[in-house]
């Protein structure tokens, strides 16, 4: 099945799921385009895993609709399910098989065989950088190598949508960076990726857009810059200076891009919208009003501060 140009790979609208009296997901909706990496972030218990289970066809939504490549996704949608590559947080590989045997086994489950399967196994081993260890039993692998093989299993059948559920949990920094490099390349090659993580720096590096879920609801969505604007976060700009600091602070406080300006010791502290964009103008005004700036420090609003403001909790809570 191919997806028409411009048509979203994944479309979710109003999906809901309850377990008894507990509403785990309350009307979540979002879409993912070709070549887009979409980050789904939320505290523990926010509803991410339930949402992923419905998108991948493992759970039936109580309400709402999920469409993948224009086709409805349900637990009975065998053909549509084949468009998904699901890489779960828990490892789904056989420790007593080597990497090649693992990939061959899962490839056959996807209906692959013969020369086609052999070629694809070789390609995936290259992608996950395990060619040199392909014949070693996976029980001998490091945590990072096992994680990479887990991703390889999800990639094997060339899915339209790859779902990565916290793929770097418990791996060393070198393996983690290799995984992130691989995910970046997949997006550049046009694959749609749904990515969940408890590491905010991963979301900032990888994700084109981010959806934040809390208590079963999608409470904000957009690029990192969009989210910063949504919650009204501003940059904190500190100018260490000598001279007429009070006069400079008063003048800078009149600028439309400055929300607040004050003096603390030998520092002028400003709350600024997009500080880097306006820094030349601010420094010029500081010089004109009698202050000599010796150093500049910009504390930019980041995704962590946005997440904390929206949910009241850190991502890893």
């Amino acid at each position: 099945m191919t997806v028409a140009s411009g048509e979203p790979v994944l479309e979710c609208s109003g999906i809901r799921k309850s377990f008894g009296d507990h509403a785990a997901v309350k009307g979540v909706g979002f879409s993912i385009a070709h070549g887009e990496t979409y980050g789904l972030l939320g505290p523990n218990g926010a509803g991410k895993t339930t949402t992923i289970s419905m998108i991948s066809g493992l759970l039936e939504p109580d309400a709402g609709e999920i469409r993948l490549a224009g086709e409805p996704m349900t637990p009975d949608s065998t053909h549509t399910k084949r468009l998904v590559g699901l890489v779960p947080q828990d490892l789904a590989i056989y420790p007593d098989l080597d990497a090649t045997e693992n990939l061959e086994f899962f490839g056959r489950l996807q209906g692959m065989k013969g020369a086609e399967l052999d070629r694809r196994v070789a390609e995936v081993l290259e992608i996950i950088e395990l060619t040199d260890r392909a014949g070693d039993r996976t029980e001998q692998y490091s945590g990072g190598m096992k994680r990479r093989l887990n991703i390889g299993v999800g990639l094997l059948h060339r899915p339209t949508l790859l779902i990565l559920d916290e793929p770097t949990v418990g791996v060393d920094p070198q393996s983690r960076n290799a995984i992130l490099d691989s995910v970046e390349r997949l997006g550049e090659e046009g694959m749609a990726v749904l990515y969940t993580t408890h590491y905010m720096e991963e979301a900032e590096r990888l994700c084109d857009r981010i959806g934040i879920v809390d208590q079963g609801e999608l409470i904000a969505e957009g690029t990192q810059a969009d989210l910063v604007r949504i919650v009204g976060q501003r940059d904190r700009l500190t100018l260490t200076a000598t001279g007429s600091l009070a006069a400079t602070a008063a003048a800078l406080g009149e600028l439309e891009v400055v929300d607040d300006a004050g003096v603390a010791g030998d520092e002028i502290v400003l709350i600024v919208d997009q500080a880097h964009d306006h820094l030349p103008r601010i420094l010029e005004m500081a010089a004109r009003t009698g202050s000599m700036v010796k150093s500049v420090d910009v504390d930019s609003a980041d995704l962590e501060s946005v997440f904390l403001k929206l949910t009241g909790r850190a991502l890893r809570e």
Side-chain angles (χ1 to χ4, degrees):
M1 184 184 299
T2 59
V3 184
S5 177
E7 181 183 350
V9 171
L10 174 71
E11 293 179 280
C12 306
S13 58
I15 56 174
R16 297 176 177 272
K17 187 67 181 179
S18 295
F19 300 96
D21 295 332
H22 174 62
V25 178
K26 309 171 186 176
V28 166
F30 59 91
S31 64
I32 306 177
H34 285 280
E36 181 178 32
T37 298
Y38 186 98
L40 193 63
L41 307 184
N44 288 332
K48 302 187 303 296
T49 299
T50 302
T51 299
I52 287 174
S53 295
M54 289 187 286
I55 289 171
S56 56
L58 299 176
L59 278 178
E60 179 84 42
D62 296 334
E65 185 178 41
I66 301 166
R67 299 186 74 85
L68 184 59
E71 298 293 326
M73 170 65 86
T74 71
D76 297 325
S77 306
T78 303
H79 183 65
T80 310
K81 281 177 165 181
R82 289 185 180 275
L83 301 178
V84 176
L86 176 60
V87 181
Q89 182 177 343
D90 294 329
L91 292 171
I93 56 177
Y94 291 97
D96 53 342
L97 301 180
D98 62 36
T100 298
E101 290 167 339
N102 266 285
L103 292 172
E104 288 175 345
F105 172 77
F106 285 104
R108 285 192 288 270
L109 291 181
Q110 291 287 350
M112 303 171 71
K113 58 185 177 181
E116 176 203 10
L117 178 58
D118 292 341
R119 283 195 300 271
R120 187 55 182 161
V121 167
E123 290 171 359
V124 169
L125 287 169
E126 287 286 343
I127 292 170
I128 61 177
E129 300 179 2
L130 286 177
T131 301
D132 292 344
R133 298 290 303 275
D136 295 343
R137 288 158 63 100
T138 57
E139 65 185 1
Q140 301 170 358
Y141 283 6
S142 67
M145 293 168 68
K146 291 175 182 176
R147 288 282 172 192
R148 300 207 306 269
L149 180 57
N150 213 37
I151 293 173
V153 170
L155 285 173
L156 193 62
H157 63 295
R158 295 184 177 89
T160 302
L161 173 68
L162 180 67
I163 301 176
L164 296 166
D165 189 8
E166 300 188 30
T168 64
V169 169
V171 305
D172 61 272
Q174 183 177 356
S175 292
R176 184 177 175 214
N177 195 57
I179 291 170
L180 298 182
D181 286 345
S182 296
V183 176
E184 283 181 318
R185 287 195 298 270
L186 293 171
E188 292 167 359
E189 292 168 3
M191 182 172 288
V193 179
L194 176 57
Y195 194 93
T196 77
T197 181
H198 273 168
Y199 299 102
M200 197 65 79
E201 63 273 20
E202 291 184 5
E204 291 175 334
R205 171 177 169 178
L206 295 177
C207 298
D208 302 296
R209 287 188 303 131
I210 293 160
I212 296 178
V213 292
D214 192 29
Q215 298 182 20
E217 298 181 282
L218 188 73
I219 59 174
E221 182 188 56
T223 65
Q224 182 177 338
D226 291 336
L227 293 173
V228 167
R229 285 192 292 269
I230 286 170
V231 300
Q233 297 288 83
R234 298 291 186 267
D235 298 336
R236 179 185 177 92
L237 175 61
T238 303
L239 308 176
T240 303
T242 58
S244 305
L245 304 192
T248 297
L252 291 173
E254 296 299 317
L255 295 177
E256 67 277 6
V257 297
V258 176
D259 289 344
D260 190 38
V263 177
D266 62 349
E267 296 176 341
I268 301 170
V269 181
L270 311 172
I271 304 300
V272 185
D273 184 20
Q274 302 292 320
H276 287 287
D277 293 343
H278 303 290
L279 189 55
R281 181 183 177 192
I282 289 171
L283 293 177
E284 179 184 359
M285 180 170 283
R288 283 196 285 107
T289 53
S291 293
M292 179 179 294
V293 176
K294 298 194 288 186
S295 67
V296 175
D297 181 65
V298 179
D299 185 11
S300 296
D302 58 12
L303 197 53
E304 184 74 54
S305 61
V306 169
F307 188 90
L308 187 61
K309 185 165 185 177
L310 286 170
T311 68
R313 290 179 282 174
L315 181 59
R316 299 191 194 187
E317 289 183 17

